[in-house]
Amino acid sequence: MSRWEPNARERLERAALALFAEHGYDATTVAEIADRAGLTKSTFFRHYADKREVLFGGQDMLVELFTQAIRSASPSATTAGCLAAALESVAVAFTPERHDVAEQRRVVIAANPELRERELLKRARLSSAMADALRARGTDETTARLAAEIGVLAFGTAYARWAASGNRQPFTEIADAVLRDLQARATALGAS
Amino acid sequence: MSRWEPNARERLERAALALFAEHGYDATTVAEIADRAGLTKSTFFRHYADKREVLFGGQDMLVELFTQAIRSASPSATTAGCLAAALESVAVAFTPERHDVAEQRRVVIAANPELRERELLKRARLSSAMADALRARGTDETTARLAAEIGVLAFGTAYARWAASGNRQPFTEIADAVLRDLQARATALGAS
DNA sequence: CAGGTGATGAGACATGGTGCCATCACCTAG
DNA sequence: CTAGGTGATGGCACCATGTCTCATCACCTG
């Protein structure tokens, strides 16, 4: 178990989540996280730009899934159809066996303003990437931004419901229902 | 010009904006800001929770204006009508004489990821407050959240256009056009 | 076995941010 | 006019985050 144990990132993420859940985010120092992972502060910051990032390792994959789904959608698909496809494509990241970790992570983030702020940044990046992907297939500027915002709102709502304690409903079903609801309300709102 | 010069907050905000514009946000220390304002680091942190906050002093007023406009809207007003009223009510904060400072502030924030992140937090608070105000007048949960998101998107777009160099169009006109555009797109998006 | 490569360790350093206590201006009671 | 109370400030110690540089070590390759 020397210096070259593999999976440094994974070890750091596990250690961080466990310590945050036990003592809280503020009361946990980077040195403690690194210690628990058998590493040092230096190595932590070589893997993560700051302390918050250790909880957001999977975000790049999420962005990739969203944009890939939109890029590979049929040219004749509607914008709303693209949103549905994008939401469906990320379901692979929210399998039942990841449910417990997701819930733990959700609680930790919810308890700390600094982490909620970082989550907003991640959501904004997601929205921005979706808008780019929509524009790339010819959607006009305003619709692209609006649809991306609705998509992120739907994702956030669906993720929260999926991760909430006790709810074992598949992510796809939740996301589908949320998106349909939002779409209907958008119609009513625009028509008023 | 001793210890008890008044308007400490205002002096700190001016000093901070000037230094950020000249040397950049990162290259400016809190001690330098305080020095320039004739104060000390201690006093800075007594007025602002952290270094970023010094650029977001007017946010509470913005929230107040938005929610007040929605609260005082006619019970028979549509949700979209509430958004329009809210956007119109904040125009008092964006008078021509504040244009230059706003533009300077916009540039500083745009140049720094940390500050952009904080701006997202402020927008989220705005959205949350608007959704609360809408719910308070009977709007259903989903519509309230969606409308608040659209309202903030409209505000952000309008503010950016208003503050952008050279544009001297009144805020009200810009906001109105942006909101109408978004409303039309929302209809089309929902109907697809 | 010599050298290159890449991840890690170690420690100095600046800054952000917190906490405590002393200081000073102003106000008010007596 | 003085004594004390109040509130904003200064000064300083302190810890954690985050940056930087250099040494170290494992592994691989010629």
Side-chain angles (χ1 to χ4, degrees), chain A residues 139-147, chain B residues 153 161 178 181-182 185:
Chain A
T139 309
D140 71 276
E141 174 67 27
T142 305
T143 303
R145 295 234 294 234
L146 176 61
Chain B
L153 180 57
R161 284 195 199 157
V178 168
D181 189 19
L182 275 172
R185 304 298 179 177

Side-chain angles (χ1 to χ4, degrees), chain B residues 24-169:
Chain B
Y25 176 80
D26 282 328
T28 305
T29 72
V30 171
E32 287 168 352
I33 299 170
D35 254 19
R36 177 151 181 166
L39 297 168
T40 63
K41 201 183 78 164
S42 295
T43 306
F44 180 96
F45 285 112
R46 213 169 275 120
H47 285 280
Y48 298 99
D50 58 51
K51 187 180 169 187
R52 296 155 223 110
E53 282 298 307
V54 75
L55 280 174
F56 297 90
Q59 287 291 316
D60 288 347
M61 188 194 60
L62 220 52
V63 168
E64 193 49 43
L65 286 172
F66 265 93
T67 55
Q68 183 55 39
I70 294 174
R71 275 199 299 267
S72 64
S74 155
S76 65
T78 63
T79 303
C82 288
L83 290 188
L87 278 175
E88 197 154 334
S89 79
V90 299
V92 298
F94 305 119
T95 57
E97 57 266 22
R98 300 198 196 176
H99 186 278
D100 289 346
V101 172
E103 166 64 3
Q104 206 175 8
R105 178 177 168 279
R106 192 186 65 83
V107 171
V108 169
I109 293 175
N112 190 279
E114 218 174 316
L115 294 172
R116 284 205 301 268
E117 189 175 11
R118 179 54 52 90
E119 190 167 53
L120 290 172
L121 180 65
K122 297 304 183 181
R123 295 255 166 100
R125 289 217 195 299
L126 212 53
S127 175
S128 177
M130 285 180 74
D132 287 348
L134 287 171
R135 264 190 298 264
R137 67 193 298 278
T139 308
D140 71 276
E141 174 68 27
T142 306
T143 303
R145 296 235 293 235
L146 176 61
E149 214 60 49
I150 291 176
V152 168
L153 180 57
F155 170 74
T157 308
Y159 177 74
R161 284 195 199 157
W162 175 78
S165 280
N167 194 336
R168 297 285 170 172
Q169 200 179 358

Side-chain angles (χ1 to χ4, degrees), chain A residues 50-116:
Chain A
D50 57 50
K51 188 180 168 188
R52 295 154 227 118
E53 281 298 307
V54 74
L55 281 174
F56 297 90
Q59 287 291 315
D60 289 346
M61 188 194 60
L62 219 53
V63 168
E64 193 49 43
L65 286 172
F66 265 92
T67 54
Q68 183 56 37
I70 294 174
R71 275 199 300 267
S72 65
S74 155
S76 66
T78 63
T79 303
C82 288
L83 289 188
L87 278 175
E88 197 155 334
S89 79
V90 299
V92 299
F94 305 120
T95 57
E97 57 265 23
R98 299 197 195 176
H99 186 278
D100 289 345
V101 173
E103 166 64 2
Q104 205 175 9
R105 179 177 167 279
R106 193 186 64 83
V107 170
V108 168
I109 293 175
N112 190 280
E114 218 174 315
L115 294 173
R116 285 206 299 268

Side-chain angles (χ1 to χ4, degrees), chain A residues 3-4 8 40 42-43 46-47:
Chain A
R3 204 173 179 180
W4 294 93
T40 63
S42 295
T43 305
R46 213 170 275 120
H47 285 280

